């Protein structure tokens, strides 16, 4: 194999950056690991549209997505033992395994990176957070219940949201106890039968709340679930009926869910739905077809706030003068409610 | 009269009034001279401005001394002008530095840059000095391609990158070289501190 030698840092700074811009994502990240100076150069590229999230299965994986490329950095241990449940997650890791698929359909390529100064997972994670000027991850996807959540919390800080699934219900409580500062809750309670203690989890001023749904979890969302959640954004998938929504809107008008900004629910295809029944007994005004209004939305796994333009709709006002606009979109069978800022 | 029967006349091409192309003369720092077309020069923002400012006529180009390019040697300048002649008349890309560009290296450029890394390094410096944006793009792409599939440790060797300690040492050495008096003052201050003095002055 030909060994190249090129004195890169003897080039002018703008040409060093030009060389870096011509590298692919993986090479740029590899370059950032070499030294402080190389890291600062990659930082100066101001790589945009980067999503950082973590996934915990047998090992912790940091996924870095940019445009169409997702790179997975696994902090692997050779002696992984899934038993006993609740074991302390070892924070030390002096190498990472990179897995990247450059093009769709191509097999994944694997690399192992080491850096003498990086002895802990935290060192690697902090490095990439710094490179991308990110103080927070978008989310942690938590699968299985092998590890003690507090030991994971020690490794990861600045986590914005948690997706947890396939864990026993008791374990969720430990996750949320450990990640109290996390303001986004997303529950995928697969194959759970006994969900009665769920209220403990739902109570909280979360930014985003996605209750379990009936299809995956055989869980019927109750009005009480919605009222106690006090989240900014709620997405429901349960077979919600007109009467349910009617009650919810009436309670909202009287002051329930004061932090709510966006509530949307997908209705099941075989359920007959009439918006008139939802609005029965509620003062409302149909806005003209030509009206366009922008609302702030934040998708669950994205850090950036985006804006959605809502056409027309039905306006309802709360006792304190706050308005909301509700809509029913027949094509996707979605009931949508935006509260005006 | 048929074409076959027409008298054969030797035509003096020089006598035909055609628009004459102007070729400028440049000289490298090792006294090698190059003749470069006006159109090719347009690829270099620096040279283009220079010849515009000089306002040379065809006679001036022949009679006056070649324009000296002090910073570039003949070997490098030959590559630069070969590149400019091949790409003359092509649009010059705008470089706003904001988005990652996909740069393809054309076959001609790949052959031209089939050179050792020392010369490639000089070529990038020359392209930067003469402000030839597309030559910079392709030459930097060639350097970027050296990183393909490399781990951080391999990249360090490929690009001869210093470690953090080496960077620190170089920074200190540069500071000292820049202002030896400042270093002396600092040492004196340290010495007085060791002796228990409260004030330097």
């Amino acid at each position: 194999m030909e060994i190249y030698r090129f004195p890169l840092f003897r080039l002018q700074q703008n040409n060093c950056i030009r060389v870096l811009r011509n590298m692919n994502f993986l090479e740029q990240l590899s370059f950032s690991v070499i030294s402080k100076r190389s890291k600062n150069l990659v930082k100066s590229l101001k790589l945009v549209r980067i999503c950082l999230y973590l996934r915990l299965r047998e090992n912790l994986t940091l996924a870095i997505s940019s445009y169409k490329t997702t790179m997975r950095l696994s902090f692997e241990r050779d002696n992984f033992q899934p038993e006993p449940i609740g074991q302390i997650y070892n924070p030390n890791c002096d190498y990472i395994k990179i897995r990247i698929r450059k093009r769709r359909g191509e097999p994944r390529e694997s690399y192992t990176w080491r850096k003498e100064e990086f002895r802990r997972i935290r060192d690697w994670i902090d490095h990439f957070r710094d490179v991308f000027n990110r103080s927070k991850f978008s989310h942690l996807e938590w699968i299985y219940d092998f590890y003690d959540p507090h030991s994971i919390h020690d490794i990861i800080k600045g986590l914005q949201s948690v997706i947890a699934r396939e864990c026993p219900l008791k374990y969720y409580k430990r996750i949320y106890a450990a990640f109290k500062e996390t303001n986004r809750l997303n529950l995928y309670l697969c194959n759970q039968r006994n969900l009665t203690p769920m209220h403990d989890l739902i109570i909280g001023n979360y930014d985003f709340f996605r209750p379990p749904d009936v299809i995956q979890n055989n869980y019927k969302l109750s009005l009480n679930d919605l009222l106690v959640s006090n989240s900014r954004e709620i997405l429901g998938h349960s077979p919600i009926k007109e009467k349910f929504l009617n009650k919810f809107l009436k309670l909202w008008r009287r002051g329930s869910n004061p932090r709510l900004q966006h509530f949307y629910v997908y209705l099941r295809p075989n359920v007959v739905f009439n918006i008139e029944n939802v609005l029965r007994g509620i003062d409302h005004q149909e806005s003209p077809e030509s009206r366009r209004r922008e609302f702030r939305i934040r998708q669950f796994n994205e850090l950036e706030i985006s804006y959605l333009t809502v056409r027309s709709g039905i306006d309802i006002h709360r006792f304190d003068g706050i308005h909301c606009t509700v809509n029913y979109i027949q094509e996707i069978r979605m009931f949508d409610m935006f509260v005006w800022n | 009269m048929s074409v076959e029967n027409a008298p054969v006349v030797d035509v003096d091409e020089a006598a035909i009034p055609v628009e004459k192309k102007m070729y400028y003369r440049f000289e490298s720092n090792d006294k090698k001279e190059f003749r470069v077309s006006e159109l090719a020069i347009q690829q270099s923002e620096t040279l283009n401005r220079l010849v515009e400012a000089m306002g040379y006529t065809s006679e001036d180009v022949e009679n006056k001394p070649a324009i000296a390019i002090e910073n570039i040697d003949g070997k490098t300048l030959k590559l630069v002008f070969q590149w400019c002649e091949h790409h003359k008349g092509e649009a010059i890309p705008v470089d706003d530095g904001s988005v990652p560009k996909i740069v393809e290296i054309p076959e001609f450029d790949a052959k031209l840059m089939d050179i050792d890394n020392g010369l490639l390094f000089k070529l990038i410096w020359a392209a930067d000095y003469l402000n030839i944006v597309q030559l910079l793009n392709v030459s930097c792409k060639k350097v970027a391609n050296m990183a393909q599939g490399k781990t951080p440790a391999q990249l360090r060797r490929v690009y001869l990158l210093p470690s953090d300690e080496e960077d620190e040492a170089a920074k200190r050495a540069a500071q000292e070289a820049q202002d030896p008096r400042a270093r002396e003052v600092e040492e004196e201050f340290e010495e007085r501190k060791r002796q228990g003095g409260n004030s330097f002055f």
Side-chain angles (χ1 to χ4, degrees):
Chain A
M1 197 179 99
E2 190 186 350
I3 302 292
Y4 302 100
R5 292 277 191 272
F6 189 91
L8 186 68
F9 281 171
R10 287 179 61 198
L11 285 179
Q12 304 91 333
Q13 170 113 341
N14 61 327
N15 289 327
C16 281
I17 289 171
R18 199 185 291 267
V19 169
L20 277 176
R21 285 211 330 249
N22 275 297
M23 290 181 186
N24 69 25
F25 187 45
L26 174 70
E27 290 148 12
Q28 287 167 344
L29 291 195
S30 180
F31 192 87
S32 76
V33 173
I34 299 167
S35 67
K36 283 179 191 163
R37 193 170 164 198
S38 69
K39 183 176 82 173
N40 288 335
L41 265 182
V42 178
K43 258 180 100 166
S44 72
L45 297 178
K46 293 194 172 74
L47 298 167
V48 291
R49 298 195 63 80
I50 300 284
C51 177
L52 295 182
Y53 68 92
L54 293 146
R55 192 175 200 206
L56 185 66
R57 267 178 186 268
E58 300 87 26
N59 289 300
L60 190 66
T61 302
L62 171 63
I64 307 173
S65 298
S66 162
Y67 296 98
K68 290 173 185 169
T69 311
T70 297
M71 205 167 92
R72 294 185 198 286
L73 288 70
S74 300
F75 304 101
E76 294 184 5
R77 272 81 37 73
D78 299 328
N79 57 347
F80 168 69
Q81 294 290 329
E83 297 291 337
I85 286 171
Q87 65 178 303
I88 302 295
Y89 192 87
N90 182 1
N92 300 323
C93 193
D94 61 356
Y95 69 94
I96 47 169
K97 283 226 163 118
I98 315 286
R99 289 194 178 83
I100 188 165
R101 196 195 304 273
K102 285 181 182 161
R103 284 184 195 87
R104 190 172 282 180
E106 284 185 4
R108 280 205 180 95
E109 291 176 19
S110 292
Y111 304 90
T112 304
W113 291 356
R114 282 176 199 280
K115 184 169 168 74
E116 214 171 282
E117 295 85 345
F118 291 181
R119 296 280 175 197
R120 302 171 306 153
I121 293 173
R122 196 57 207 279
D123 298 327
W124 290 99
I125 286 178
D126 286 348
H127 172 82
F128 290 112
R129 267 207 303 219
D130 192 23
V131 167
F132 299 116
N133 302 305
R134 284 292 170 90
S135 60
K136 291 179 176 175
F137 297 101
S138 66
H139 64 274
L140 165 67
E141 193 177 334
W142 199 302
I143 302 162
Y144 309 141
D145 56 349
F146 300 143
Y147 301 109
D148 169 38
H150 287 278
S151 66
I152 300 291
H153 181 262
D154 290 343
I155 295 169
I156 305 158
K157 278 183 186 162
L159 193 70
Q160 187 142 7
S161 59
V162 173
I163 300 175
R165 63 185 187 200
E166 295 173 37
C167 304
L169 198 59
K170 262 165 90 178
Y171 193 66
Y172 287 114
K173 290 186 181 175
R174 293 175 60 194
I175 293 174
Y176 291 112
F179 287 87
K180 272 182 196 143
E181 81 280 8
T182 303
N183 57 9
R184 297 189 139 204
L185 168 62
N186 196 332
L187 294 176
Y188 288 92
L189 294 163
C190 297
N191 305 319
Q192 300 289 331
R193 294 289 167 208
N194 181 13
L195 292 167
T196 41
M198 225 188 69
H199 281 305
D200 301 358
L201 296 178
I202 293 172
I203 297 168
N205 295 328
Y206 298 106
D207 271 7
F208 187 98
F209 169 54
R210 181 176 172 167
D213 66 60
V214 71
I215 300 164
Q216 281 193 354
N217 311 296
N218 196 23
Y219 183 78
K220 195 174 170 185
L221 183 71
S222 73
L223 191 57
N224 218 15
D225 289 338
L226 283 187
L227 297 177
V228 297
S229 76
N230 200 24
S231 298
R232 282 189 207 280
E233 205 168 330
I234 301 172
L235 166 62
H237 270 282
S238 283
I240 291 173
K241 293 182 178 169
E242 297 148 349
K243 205 173 166 184
F244 179 105
L245 288 173
N246 177 270
K247 271 188 189 169
F248 178 69
L249 285 175
K250 280 177 177 169
L251 289 166
W252 177 81
R253 290 187 67 210
R254 281 185 224 153
S256 77
N257 297 76
R259 294 172 76 244
L260 185 67
Q261 289 179 352
H262 187 200
F263 169 60
Y264 53 117
V265 58
Y266 291 97
L267 304 160
R268 295 181 77 182
N270 52 355
V271 176
V272 179
F273 187 84
N274 186 350
I275 191 80
E276 290 301 323
N277 294 334
V278 174
L279 300 169
R280 187 164 294 159
I282 300 171
D283 281 343
H284 62 272
Q285 263 189 325
E286 270 196 48
S287 66
E289 276 291 312
S290 57
R291 193 185 73 176
R292 303 276 184 278
R293 199 176 165 86
E294 268 196 345
F295 292 97
R296 276 157 55 109
I297 56 164
R298 191 154 72 167
Q299 292 297 321
F300 160 70
N301 55 0
E302 287 175 12
L303 292 174
E304 286 80 17
I305 289 169
S306 50
Y307 288 86
L308 187 77
T309 305
V310 175
R311 280 200 262 176
S312 181
I314 297 153
D315 294 345
I316 298 168
H317 60 269
R318 205 161 66 183
F319 77 99
D320 55 0
I322 300 284
H323 283 62
C324 81
T325 296
V326 298
N327 253 320
Y328 175 61
I329 305 163
Q330 177 71 43
E331 294 77 36
I332 51 171
R333 297 190 61 76
M334 184 177 83
F335 176 83
D336 216 356
M337 171 186 174
F338 282 101
V339 180
W340 296 21
N341 286 317
Chain B
M1 192 187 294
S2 69
V3 174
E4 287 81 6
N5 298 331
V8 177
V9 180
D10 283 332
V11 177
D12 180 8
E13 282 185 13
I16 298 171
V18 288
E19 198 181 332
K20 205 172 177 184
K21 281 182 190 169
M22 194 140 92
Y23 282 83
Y24 287 91
R25 288 161 54 230
F26 294 96
E27 192 180 78
S28 63
N29 61 5
D30 49 1
K31 305 291 173 205
K32 290 200 175 115
E33 197 177 297
F34 300 91
R35 295 173 81 83
V36 189
S37 71
E38 199 176 2
L39 198 56
I41 286 169
Q42 285 172 8
Q43 288 293 326
S44 160
E45 199 186 324
T46 309
L47 293 183
N48 198 33
R49 283 191 182 175
L50 183 74
V51 296
E52 267 179 20
M54 286 174 144
Y56 274 10
T57 61
S58 307
E59 287 75 34
D60 291 338
V61 167
E62 295 305 326
N63 300 333
K64 291 188 177 179
I67 302 165
I69 301 176
E70 298 288 350
N71 303 353
I72 306 170
D73 63 34
K75 207 171 172 186
T76 314
L77 207 53
K78 186 180 173 188
L79 289 175
V80 170
F81 288 143
Q82 275 180 345
W83 188 91
C84 288
E85 288 291 355
H86 186 82
H87 292 278
K88 65 186 172 193
E90 288 179 12
I92 296 163
V94 179
D95 184 26
D96 57 5
S98 59
V99 285
K101 306 269 191 313
I102 297 167
V103 177
E104 300 280 344
I105 303 179
E107 202 182 332
F108 174 86
D109 296 11
K111 277 185 187 163
L112 186 89
M113 292 189 296
D114 191 11
I115 48 181
D116 65 72
N117 284 341
L119 193 51
L120 181 63
F121 180 82
K122 285 182 183 174
L123 184 68
I124 295 174
W125 266 90
D128 186 80
Y129 177 69
L130 300 174
N131 207 350
I132 308 172
V133 177
Q134 188 55 16
L135 180 56
L136 268 177
N137 282 342
V138 290
S139 51
C140 287
K141 176 71 180 174
K142 167 127 180 158
V143 177
N145 285 348
M146 296 174 193
Q148 276 174 5
K150 300 282 191 298
T151 64
Q154 289 167 329
L155 282 184
R156 185 197 290 278
R157 287 195 293 275
V158 167
Y159 291 126
L160 303 167
L161 300 177
S163 63
D164 287 337
E165 293 75 32
E166 287 165 338
D167 270 336
E168 283 295 317
K171 203 174 157 187
R172 274 198 305 273
Q175 277 171 353
E176 283 168 21
Q178 199 177 14
D179 190 357
R181 176 65 195 141
R183 181 73 192 152
E184 279 169 29
V185 170
E186 201 178 308
E187 277 170 4
E188 207 175 327
F189 177 68
E190 289 297 324
E191 183 57 34
R192 280 177 186 243
K193 241 172 61 174
R194 270 197 297 275
Q195 289 169 1
N198 292 331
S199 166
F200 182 66
F201 299 103

